[in-house]
Amino acid sequence: MTEEITFYSDDKGVRITNTRAIFRKTTYAMANITSVSKGYKAPSYKGPLFLILVGIIIALISCSVRSLQGGILGAAITFFGLLLCGTLKGTHTVKIGSASGETVALESADEKYIQNIVQAMNEAIIKRG
């Protein structure tokens, strides 16, 4: 029988060994994992773009009826939408491939954290029993 070797463990409930990959409440058998990769999900800009559009419309209508307060409000809403666009961040993922397809096992905004887990899983796949 092969001794279980831990390649990665943290206080967030993630543990990678040569026999298992545990992601919080989900456990995967390393024998069933055929590949592991890092992915990226871009943030959704729908909300901020909607604000920008509404702000521009309010500003244009306010200018056509010569309303200073409406113009300022429209400009403020547009600025807030632009500010939101600049603060959005994507999500990095750990993707696990098996005979049944590809699964996203973990998501985080911290790219280095995800990279460390992917690296540990690749080492575990190479050295699994």
Side-chain angles (χ1 to χ4, degrees):
M1 188 157 113
T2 313
E3 180 182 329
E4 188 171 77
I5 303 166
T6 300
F7 292 93
Y8 182 89
S9 183
D10 66 24
D11 59 352
K12 297 176 185 175
V14 177
R15 184 169 177 227
I16 309 300
T17 71
N18 58 326
T19 58
R20 298 178 290 164
I22 303 165
F23 296 97
R24 297 182 179 106
K25 296 179 180 180
T26 307
T27 301
Y28 300 92
M30 290 303 287
N32 297 334
I33 296 174
T34 56
S35 66
V36 63
S37 62
K38 186 177 73 129
Y40 179 76
K41 288 183 183 178
S44 173
Y45 291 98
K46 289 179 185 177
L49 290 177
F50 177 75
L51 282 176
I52 292 168
L53 182 63
V54 168
I56 290 172
I57 290 170
I58 290 172
L60 289 174
I61 291 171
S62 298
C63 285
S64 69
V65 295
R66 299 176 192 242
S67 169
L68 181 62
Q69 293 88 356
I72 292 172
L73 175 66
I77 292 172
T78 302
F79 178 74
F80 183 67
L82 289 170
L83 191 65
L84 268 175
C85 279
T87 61
L88 292 178
K89 293 185 179 181
T91 304
H92 300 276
T93 61
V94 175
K95 294 182 186 178
I96 295 176
S98 66
S100 61
E102 195 170 71
T103 304
V104 174
L106 185 67
E107 296 181 351
S108 175
D110 186 353
E111 182 179 12
K112 186 165 176 56
Y113 174 65
I114 295 296
Q115 183 61 45
N116 289 338
I117 293 170
V118 169
Q119 183 179 354
M121 287 192 70
N122 280 322
E123 288 176 33
I125 288 171
I126 290 168
K127 297 178 182 176
R128 67 182 163 202

